[in-house]
């Protein structure tokens, strides 16, 4: 079949790499793609939210499957757009409906959904400009630290963990009155801080059956030792040592299964990935957030460990045979380290020339995924804050991290930075 993949980051490069291993994939097109995805298919200069241009591409290239990488087109209803068009509704869309994508698109919606279905999460309240005084009083009476979240999509920047009441009040006012995140912060969710270790679990579902396709631990802080500003992710490791059979059983019973059953009960069409952002609090899982797609850079560490044909899983999701699918994983550990632009996550320059090792110089146990890159003639240039994701396999996490660091030492661009301590809690 011919497949169109939407997105331009490291997640999409990893998806392209994985899908082209399937004998079900005849031709792959990526919109807009990056310098790395071009090695696996044809990049198309189309925005992920230009639905009319995406339709034209599907007609022109006889697309049979649409795989949606980022959240924005899902929250804006690309699944519904395809279902409503007789010329497109035969195409398999990997992604939820607009209504179901509210699990990510609205923090308030997701918290209410979890309440309705008894899914463990932090206690919360929500406020708007009309209830701003109530919100201030709520903050003043709340235990510290306290978490403030812009309700809508804020490019991963809409969450603040405030250590003091004064900081929380200032952030609250800036979100609502200062319109810090525009429409996304017209409503603010305030919730209790969950103390523990974060982990991400990924499932593929058709709204009835599901399969867990992997889990990972992400490192958000820019600085070593988990210090400094939050980023979109500086690296990942998988499998996570504390994700043993007992914890996974609790996660399925208390979170994953009730979520999928809740979607069915509420008539929410969901044909795609669910990202469960969890907190392990003393061996008990709590939901921090849902995402309605794969994460980045988690995809770059999860898909290399998935040995099952991903396109076949998508087809099974569509034709109702997902529960019969067999999932297998590479027994090795994997570690991803992000190389980022100087200044990231603040201001940074683009257009820096990237020096990459030749394909035969990259060890067979290492993969280099492009994130923020672009071609200029025959040169590869930086085109984002997070530029490259280097993933390696190892007998354990420490070995995988060392292999990724070794390959990163062969890569250079002006201002390049990467954390050298990814996986620091797991020394063996």
């Amino acid at each position: 079949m011919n497949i169109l993949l939407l997105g331009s980051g490291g997640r999409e490069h990893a998806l392209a790499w994985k899908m082209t291993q399937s004998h079900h994939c005849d031709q792959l097109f990526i919109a807009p793609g990056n310098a790395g995805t071009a090695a696996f298919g044809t990049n198309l200069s189309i925005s992920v939210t230009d639905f009319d241009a995406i339709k034209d591409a599907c007609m022109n290239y006889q697309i049979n499957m649409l795989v949606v990488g980022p959240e924005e087109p899902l929250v804006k209803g690309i699944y519904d757009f395809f279902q409503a068009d007789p010329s497109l509704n035969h195409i398999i869309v990997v992604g939820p409906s607009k209504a179901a994508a509210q699990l990510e698109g609205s923090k308030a919606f997701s918290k209410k959904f979890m309440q309705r279905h008894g899914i463990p999460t932090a206690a919360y309240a929500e406020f708007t400009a009309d209830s701003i005084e109530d919100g201030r009083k709520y903050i003043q009476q709340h235990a510290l630290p306290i978490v403030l979240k812009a309700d809508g999509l804020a490019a991963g920047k809409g969450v603040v963990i405030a250590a003091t009441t004064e900081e929380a009040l200032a952030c609250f006012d800036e979100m609502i009155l200062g319109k810090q995140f525009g429409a996304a912060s017209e409503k603010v969710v305030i919730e209790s801080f969950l103390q523990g270790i974060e982990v991400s679990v990924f499932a593929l579902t058709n709204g009835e059956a599901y399969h867990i396709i992997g889990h990972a631990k992400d490192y958000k802080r820019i600085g070593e030792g988990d210090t400094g500003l939050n980023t979109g992710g500086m690296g990942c490791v998988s499998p996570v040592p504390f994700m043993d059979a007992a914890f996974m059983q609790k996660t399925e019973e208390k979170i994953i299964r009730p979520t999928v059953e809740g979607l069915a009960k509420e008539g929410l069409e969901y044909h795609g990935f669910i990202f469960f952002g969890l907190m392990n609090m003393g061996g008990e899982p709590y939901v921090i957030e849902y995402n309605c797609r794969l994460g980045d850079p988690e995809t770059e560490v999860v898909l290399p460990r998935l040995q099952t044909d991903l396109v076949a899983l998508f087809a099974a999701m569509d034709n109702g045979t997902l529960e019969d699918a067999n999932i297998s994983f590479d027994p090795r550990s994997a570690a991803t380290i992000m190389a980022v632009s100087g200044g990231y996550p603040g201001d940074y320059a683009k257009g820096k020339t990237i020096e990459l090792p030749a394909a035969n110089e990259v060890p067979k146990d290492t993969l280099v995924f492009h994130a923020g890159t672009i071609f200029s003639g025959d040169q590869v240039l930086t085109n984002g804050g997070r530029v490259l994701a280097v993933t390696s396999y190892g007998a354990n996490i420490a070995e995988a991290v060392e292999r990724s660091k070794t390959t990163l030492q062969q890569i250079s661009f002006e201002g390049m930075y990467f954390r050298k301590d990814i996986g620091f809690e797991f020394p063996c």
Side-chain angles (χ1 to χ4, degrees):
M1 63 178 71
N2 292 346
I3 302 172
L4 175 59
L5 168 64
L6 299 186
S8 61
R11 166 182 50 219
E12 285 72 40
H13 189 178
L15 280 164
W17 166 81
K18 184 67 176 175
M19 290 192 298
T20 51
Q21 295 171 22
S22 172
H23 70 274
H24 298 291
C25 180
D26 295 319
Q27 293 187 81
L28 178 65
F29 300 87
I30 311 97
N34 60 38
T37 61
F40 295 95
T42 303
N43 287 348
L44 305 175
S45 184
I46 297 173
S47 165
V48 297
T49 56
D50 188 343
F51 292 180
D52 289 331
I54 292 169
K55 173 182 176 177
D56 290 343
C58 288
M59 304 299 288
N60 291 338
Y61 299 110
Q62 298 179 306
I63 298 299
N64 308 107
M65 177 182 289
L66 177 74
V67 179
V68 186
E71 64 275 17
E72 189 176 7
L74 294 168
V75 171
K76 289 186 173 178
I78 194 164
Y79 176 91
D80 309 71
F81 178 83
F82 270 64
Q83 292 301 306
D85 191 323
S87 63
L88 298 174
N89 61 18
H90 66 284
I91 296 173
I92 299 170
V93 178
V94 181
S97 65
K98 183 177 182 177
Q102 290 180 93
L103 283 181
E104 178 170 5
S106 170
K107 302 295 188 297
F109 176 91
S110 69
K111 296 295 279 191
K112 290 172 185 172
F113 178 90
M114 286 183 267
Q115 276 192 340
R116 288 195 296 272
H117 300 288
I119 296 165
T121 187
Y124 84 104
E126 60 185 74
F127 303 94
T128 64
D130 292 336
S131 56
I132 195 164
E133 284 304 324
D134 292 336
R136 289 169 178 155
K137 290 176 184 176
Y138 185 82
I139 289 170
Q140 289 168 340
Q141 297 168 359
H142 204 285
L144 296 170
I146 185 171
V147 182
L148 291 83
K149 296 180 177 180
D151 178 58
L153 297 181
K157 299 176 182 178
V159 178
V160 174
I161 301 172
T164 67
T165 300
E166 292 73 23
E167 180 189 2
L169 288 168
C171 290
F172 182 62
D173 283 359
E174 180 61 22
M175 283 187 182
I176 290 183
L177 299 181
K179 303 185 187 301
Q180 183 180 11
F181 302 106
S185 58
E186 288 178 355
K187 181 184 292 181
V188 173
V189 170
I190 301 176
E191 62 182 39
S192 300
F193 178 74
L194 297 178
Q195 185 70 49
I197 306 172
E198 288 189 44
V199 66
S200 304
V201 178
F202 301 90
L204 180 68
T205 183
N206 58 11
E208 296 178 356
Y210 69 86
H211 270 296
I212 295 171
I213 63 156
H215 68 267
K217 185 181 188 305
D218 185 15
Y219 295 80
K220 291 290 187 190
R221 300 281 187 168
I222 186 69
E224 294 181 6
D226 279 341
T227 58
L229 296 173
N230 269 327
T231 73
M234 293 297 294
C236 276
V237 298
S238 182
V240 181
F242 69 74
M243 295 290 284
D244 57 18
F247 188 82
M248 285 301 296
Q249 183 177 355
K250 289 179 182 179
T251 299
E252 281 205 64
E253 290 179 354
K254 297 182 178 183
I255 293 171
I256 298 176
R257 196 170 300 129
T259 296
V260 175
E261 289 174 353
L263 292 168
K265 287 176 184 176
E266 298 191 16
L268 297 169
E269 291 185 78
Y270 208 115
H271 287 203
F273 295 107
I274 307 178
F275 171 132
F276 298 87
L278 305 180
M279 185 69 77
N280 177 355
M281 291 182 61
E284 292 295 326
Y286 288 78
V287 177
I288 302 170
E289 64 174 353
Y290 291 113
N291 289 166
C292 57
R293 36 73 193 183
L294 288 176
D296 193 344
E298 292 95 338
T299 307
E300 294 94 306
V301 78
V302 166
L303 290 188
R305 294 195 63 243
L306 179 68
Q307 292 183 321
T308 307
D309 183 321
L310 186 59
V311 179
L313 283 178
F314 292 155
M317 174 202 73
D318 177 68
N319 65 28
T321 61
L322 184 61
E323 62 184 346
D324 299 324
N326 293 314
I327 306 291
S328 60
F329 299 97
D330 192 307
R332 294 174 292 177
S333 295
T336 297
I337 303 176
M338 296 292 308
V340 304
S341 296
Y344 176 79
D347 295 333
Y348 55 86
K350 298 181 182 181
K352 305 298 183 182
T353 301
I354 305 172
E355 299 295 333
L356 291 162
N360 60 4
E361 296 173 337
V362 177
K364 63 181 177 64
D365 289 335
T366 296
L367 302 159
V368 179
F369 294 118
H370 290 235
T373 68
I374 193 171
F375 274 122
S376 178
D378 58 355
Q379 289 188 315
V380 179
L381 307 180
T382 65
N383 193 45
R386 293 187 299 163
V387 179
L388 297 164
V390 177
T391 298
S392 297
Y393 299 98
N396 52 46
I397 287 171
E399 184 176 272
V401 168
E402 286 305 312
R403 286 177 175 169
S404 287
K405 288 196 291 188
T406 297
T407 294
L408 278 161
Q409 289 163 2
Q410 300 175 259
I411 297 170
S412 65
F413 55 85
E414 184 182 333
M416 173 177 151
Y417 166 76
F418 64 92
R419 275 184 60 172
K420 300 178 178 64
D421 69 336
I422 299 301
F424 65 88
E425 315 99 311
F426 312 118
C428 59

